[in-house]
Amino acid sequence: MTKSPILLNIKWDGLAKKAAFEKALPDHPFYNLADGMPSTEELAEVKYAVVWKPEHGFLATLPNLEVIFSLGAGVDHVLEDKQLPDLPIVRFVDANLTGRMVEWVVLQVLMHLRHQRKYDSFQRINQWNEIFPQPSADQLTVGIMGFGELGQAAAKGLLPLGFNLCGWSRSEKSMDGVGCFHGEDGLESFLARTDILVSLLPYTPATHGILNRNLIEKLSRGGPFGAPVLINAGRGGSQVETDIIACLKEGLLHGVSLDVFETEPLPKESPLWSFENVIITPHMAAVSDPAALAEHVATQVNRYEAGEELEYLVDRARGY
Ligand code: NDP
Ligand code: OXD
């Protein structure tokens, strides 16, 4: 029996990606908006939609939609639709995506710890230059803001390297070897001991613009670099780029790594491009692997059709 169609709003081209979904859900037909808009009758059959930045108001036009899947771990791109139907939203939580984020975070932390950008610039001019101090990992504390799936995995990736670690979340958490802080009350203590701040926060009204001058000034200045490092792969809306640029110029930040930006793509004229101690990546810290996403959607659709509870549901009131 042919099962209900799945609507994909994925700007992926290439047969391999389509094949990933066909393999994971062989009995379900697919309509990918990238191939053109299905007819009104076809849209009326759709029960599941897998989306990334859907056009506002579009999901509300699907009369028989039952579950919305986010192509990514973040769901701000779905929740900002004012006409979003009141349906379950499942976000993407997956070992492949998590592993990629851990790699990116560990890479960025080590790039700053080991002065890699400076060595790159010396190499370009054939210059043999040692740089001091050469602190070891145990002389710094990495503070992870957003201590959920990705934040906790990043901590587990950094722990064996010897860093001191702390995490900050909304609700109370505990992890062996990590100082855990939560809520507004825990924020100042968390910041005061953090030499390298890693933000993996979702974008919500509460996290809008949280990475600003006021917060940067509260970070530790007692570490080996005398000023903190800021790393953000959560969402660009959580950072105030004019503040970050001013703090870099004033020496209030030792280094910065950003994968997400207030405006994406980052405009060519942004001063952020030109700092030697700013590392920029184009929102690719943890891309969603098509095969892993298809498997995840298949698992959840099969659970749903078997009458089991969906996993990784978004809490709309919290915004993530
Ligand atoms: P989770 O929901 O698992 O974790 C979010 C964490 O943030 C939780 O610990 C949560 O606290 C905490 N948090 C949320 N709001 C607040 C707040 N107001 N104050 C304090 N803590 C808060 O999400 P993931 O770890 O899976 O993903 C995090 C984000 O990473 C995504 O929302 C997305 O924006 C971003 N992302 C970026 C990617 C990239 O390539 N750059 C790829 C994938 C994700 P609590 O535990 O108490 O709920
Ligand atoms: C995500 C992202 O949310 O890639 O998964 O940004």
Side-chain angles (χ1 to χ4, degrees), residues 1-8 28-31 41-51 59 62-69 85 87-90 297 300-302 304-307 310:
M1 193 186 73
T2 305
K3 299 204 173 177
S4 49
I6 300 188
L7 185 80
L8 305 176
H28 291 261
F30 293 96
Y31 304 132
E41 293 72 34
E42 287 169 332
L43 289 177
E45 294 166 21
V46 166
K47 252 165 75 170
Y48 310 104
V50 185
V51 296
L59 292 171
L62 303 174
N64 293 311
L65 187 64
E66 293 186 20
V67 183
I68 300 166
F69 290 91
L87 296 171
I89 303 168
V90 177
V297 172
Q300 297 309 320
V301 165
N302 291 335
Y304 185 73
E305 297 198 337
L310 290 164

Side-chain angles (χ1 to χ4, degrees), residues 96-109 153-154 157 285:
N96 182 294
L97 180 139
T98 301
R100 289 166 192 251
M101 184 59 87
V102 173
E103 288 166 7
W104 187 86
V105 169
V106 171
L107 173 68
Q108 300 311 319
V109 168

Side-chain angles (χ1 to χ4, degrees), residues 13-310:
D13 45 8
L15 292 173
K17 280 112 184 200
K18 190 160 172 265
F21 273 88
E22 285 170 351
K23 184 166 170 236
L25 284 153
D27 300 329
H28 291 261
F30 293 96
Y31 304 132
N32 190 358
L33 293 188
D35 301 332
M37 186 58 78
S39 67
T40 313
E41 293 72 34
E42 287 169 332
L43 289 177
E45 294 166 21
V46 166
K47 252 165 75 170
Y48 310 104
V50 185
V51 296
W52 181 252
K53 300 185 180 169
E55 195 181 311
H56 290 187
F58 174 68
L59 292 171
T61 66
L62 303 174
N64 293 311
L65 187 64
E66 293 186 20
V67 183
I68 300 166
F69 290 91
S70 166
L71 176 141
V75 290
D76 46 308
H77 66 104
V78 178
L79 294 178
E80 66 195 15
D81 179 355
K82 299 272 182 299
Q83 297 157 64
L84 190 66
D86 188 13
L87 296 171
I89 303 168
V90 177
R91 65 192 199 92
F92 189 32
V93 177
D94 166 71
N96 182 294
L97 180 139
T98 301
R100 289 166 192 251
M101 184 59 87
V102 173
E103 288 166 7
W104 187 86
V105 169
V106 171
L107 173 68
Q108 300 311 319
V109 168
L110 292 179
M111 289 285 281
H112 293 287
L113 175 72
R114 302 305 302 262
H115 308 290
Q116 188 56 46
R117 288 309 280 267
K118 277 216 160 65
Y119 289 124
D120 290 343
S121 68
F122 295 146
Q123 180 175 346
R124 280 195 286 275
I125 52 170
N126 300 13
Q127 205 173 92
W128 181 281
N129 250 345
E130 292 173 40
I131 302 172
F132 292 100
Q134 281 287 355
S136 54
D138 62 359
Q139 289 174 263
L140 289 100
T141 297
V142 179
I144 302 176
M145 267 183 118
F147 207 54
E149 292 286 339
L150 300 179
Q152 292 186 30
K156 287 179 189 150
L158 290 164
L159 259 178
L161 299 179
F163 290 101
N164 302 297
L165 283 161
C166 55
W168 183 71
S169 50
R170 218 171 51 103
S171 58
E172 197 169 350
K173 298 272 181 297
S174 70
M175 186 188 284
D176 278 352
V178 180
C180 290
F181 299 83
H182 67 279
E184 282 300 310
D185 294 349
L187 184 57
E188 296 223 353
S189 311
F190 164 83
L191 295 172
R193 69 195 61 210
T194 292
D195 302 304
I196 300 183
L197 180 69
V198 177
S199 176
L200 291 169
L201 284 166
Y203 182 58
T204 69
T207 65
H208 170 83
I210 193 169
L211 304 173
N212 56 27
R213 173 185 275 274
N214 183 36
L215 177 140
I216 292 167
E217 285 176 348
K218 291 179 178 156
L219 289 164
S220 158
R221 262 142 241 289
F225 300 132
V229 169
L230 169 67
I231 297 174
N232 184 18
R235 281 290 182 264
S238 296
Q239 74 205 15
V240 179
E241 287 166 18
T242 49
D243 284 5
I244 294 173
I245 291 162
C247 288
L248 279 160
K249 286 184 178 158
E250 292 166 38
L252 292 174
L253 280 170
H254 173 75
V256 171
S257 291
L258 302 174
D259 183 59
V260 289
F261 301 90
E262 287 175 37
T263 301
E264 294 181 8
L266 179 64
K268 283 200 182 329
E269 55 281 5
S270 169
L272 286 169
W273 292 106
S274 54
F275 289 90
E276 186 192 272
N277 53 347
V278 174
I279 299 174
I280 288 173
T281 54
H283 199 145
M284 46 54 66
V287 295
S288 298
D289 174 71
L293 176 67
E295 281 300 328
H296 156 84
V297 172
T299 304
Q300 297 309 320
V301 165
N302 291 335
R303 286 178 71 94
Y304 185 73
E305 297 198 337
E308 293 167 36
E309 287 200 1
L310 290 164

